[in-house]
Amino acid sequence: MKPKIQSADPKAAYLAAEAEIDAAIKRVLMSGHYILGPEGEHFEKELAAYLGVAGAAGVASGTDAIELALRAVGIGPGDKVITVANTVTATAAAITATGAKPVFIDVEPDTLLMDAAALEHLLTTVRDPKMKALVPVHLYGQAADMPRLMEIAARHNLVVVEDCAQAHGSLVGDRKAGAWGQLAAFSFYPTKTLGAFGDAGAVAGRDAQLLEQVKLLRQYGWRRRYVSDLPGRNSRLDELQAAILRVRLPRLDAENAARGVLAARYLERLRGSALRLPVVAAGRTHTWHQFVVRTPRRDELRAHLEQQGVFAGVLYPVPIHRQPAYHQAELTLPVTEQACAEVLSLPLHPGLTVADVDTVCAHLLAWAG
Ligand SMILES: *Cc1c(COP(=O)(O)O)cnc(C)c1O
């Protein structure tokens, strides 16, 4: 039987650091302290230092990180939050959980990231004071056009919470994704480029006061034990995941570089084929959480690859404004809708070799002619 080439492989990430992760798990189990302890505090400092921001607050998931960040900057019932529909439903779920309503705008045709011109158009044609926040989503490993989005947001008094769930370590100029907005949300779901082995997330940012607010919200609104100053939630980072993330964070840049080598190989081999290839915008780095090609015959290609033992993913097949829970019948987002019908994520993770990429490319080129 031919070996399978998977689209993600979190077990390979464990095996790459097996002894260190085993030791970290043992250290936590022996410590007698399992939730919101020293491992979490160290991880928050290490993550903040890596990102170049003032601090971070560990939470239970990426979805919670977006929700609690929005609540910390004051978003609540009746407000509107501008985001994109080319993302996982978690982004909209987090906005909805605050009591606010998501407002979707289209993405750029080349990067498939939030379109600054669409934002400017929305804010100048619809002057709705309820629109108070902006959630750009840094999808596939590339950050959105943050200098331009921040400038527009400042002019229109919008607070910015970055969704960094797919952009750990990505740069815009010399500044990391997550160091632009008032706050930024990270997911450490196992298949993310920095993954835990369970659910985990964090809010990071430059404003220590806002981060303090997140820390209240993540544990019942407690400033002092058993006294709730706010109607907070339970969304805590556990010590096991924090200790594992502390092993994985120092390896992130090397793993992102390994992804870059595989991505460069794909780009080289597939140039000139019938597939539309991913574009890296000037002044930004791509950390290749996903290597997304586009073809109108996406479903056919995906099935063909699967027959060859190659598993490609689709992020995302249905735009959020076309999903039952968030349906907005009157809204049309042409670039997003077309992208969702055409995108295919080729296998790319540090557990793959250049030879694996060559195998995938051979199948692709045989199919595409
Ligand atoms: C994974 C992801 C989330 C949600 O993170 P969870 O940890 O699964 O809650 C949010 N936004 C984007 C873009 C994601 O990829």
Side-chain angles (χ1 to χ4, degrees):
M1 216 180 85
K2 273 181 289 186
K4 291 184 169 51
I5 300 181
Q6 301 290 353
S7 59
D9 190 357
K11 187 178 167 186
Y14 166 57
L15 294 174
E18 187 179 354
E20 273 182 82
I21 290 171
D22 287 354
I25 289 170
K26 184 82 178 168
R27 182 173 78 232
V28 172
L29 292 178
M30 290 302 291
S31 76
H33 201 137
Y34 306 116
I35 288 185
L36 292 186
E39 296 288 343
E41 282 170 27
H42 283 298
F43 175 65
E44 287 167 352
K45 288 202 179 75
E46 289 156 10
L47 178 67
Y50 176 79
L51 296 171
V53 295
V59 297
S61 71
T63 311
D64 282 1
I66 301 167
E67 180 199 331
L68 298 185
L70 285 170
R71 288 181 62 185
V73 298
I75 298 303
D79 293 334
K80 292 182 180 172
V81 177
I82 304 164
T83 190
V84 290
N86 182 38
T87 176
V88 66
T89 44
T91 312
I95 292 167
T96 307
T98 67
K101 186 176 178 289
V103 175
F104 301 110
I105 58 174
D106 217 344
V107 293
E108 300 170 332
D110 52 352
T111 64
L112 300 181
L113 299 166
M114 182 178 274
D115 186 343
L119 176 65
E120 185 88 67
H121 179 78
L122 173 76
L123 293 167
T124 47
T125 53
V126 185
R127 289 170 195 274
D128 184 346
K130 290 200 163 78
M131 290 181 190
K132 288 185 186 155
L134 181 69
V135 178
V137 181
H138 306 320
L139 212 60
Y140 309 141
Q142 181 169 208
D145 185 355
M146 290 314 292
R148 226 174 128 204
L149 293 174
M150 291 304 294
E151 185 274 316
I152 297 168
R155 234 181 321 112
H156 293 271
N157 283 319
L158 299 175
V159 287
V160 177
V161 170
E162 297 171 71
D163 180 345
C164 300
Q166 298 189 15
H168 311 78
S170 305
L171 287 163
V172 183
D174 55 8
R175 214 197 282 186
K176 292 247 167 70
W180 290 85
Q182 271 73 22
L183 288 174
F186 287 84
S187 166
F188 308 116
Y189 183 79
T191 57
K192 308 294 188 192
T193 51
L194 176 59
F197 297 111
D199 270 315
V203 178
R206 292 173 287 133
D207 186 326
Q209 244 174 320
L210 290 178
L211 289 166
E212 275 313 303
Q213 199 72 4
V214 173
K215 288 181 182 176
L216 291 188
L217 290 167
R218 76 178 171 184
Q219 178 157 251
Y220 319 128
W222 283 354
R223 210 179 299 271
R224 282 175 298 143
R225 214 165 179 62
Y226 306 125
V227 183
S228 292
D229 287 348
L230 294 166
R233 296 217 5 229
N234 167 7
S235 179
R236 298 174 295 217
L237 176 62
D238 71 68
E239 289 283 278
L240 281 174
Q241 302 308 333
I244 290 164
L245 288 164
R246 291 186 67 202
V247 175
R248 294 210 58 202
L249 179 60
R251 297 165 172 266
L252 177 60
D253 283 343
E255 288 187 3
N256 283 348
R259 287 173 184 271
V261 168
L262 300 175
R265 186 70 169 191
Y266 271 127
L267 289 170
E268 179 195 322
R269 299 297 302 273
L270 299 177
R271 189 161 295 130
S273 77
L275 299 170
R276 188 163 173 187
L277 299 177
V279 171
V280 184
R284 288 180 243 173
T285 64
H286 203 308
T287 48
W288 304 106
H289 174 64
Q290 304 285 316
F291 188 94
V292 177
V293 297
R294 281 182 270 174
T295 166
R297 294 160 66 201
R298 188 262 316 281
D299 294 335
E300 206 186 305
L301 175 57
R302 189 187 195 188
H304 170 79
L305 289 175
E306 208 162 304
Q307 277 168 5
Q308 314 299 321
V310 173
F311 293 84
V314 174
L315 278 70
Y316 293 94
V318 183
I320 301 188
H321 66 297
R322 292 286 176 262
Q323 305 217 10
Y326 306 100
H327 204 261
Q328 297 187 8
E330 72 289 357
L331 181 65
T332 315
L333 301 171
V335 182
T336 298
E337 286 159 30
Q338 191 181 346
C340 289
E342 296 187 351
V343 290
L344 188 67
S345 295
L346 302 182
L348 197 166
H349 55 81
L352 292 181
T353 62
V354 170
D356 291 326
V357 169
D358 287 347
T359 300
V360 178
C361 289
H363 294 312
L364 286 167
L365 294 171
W367 178 85

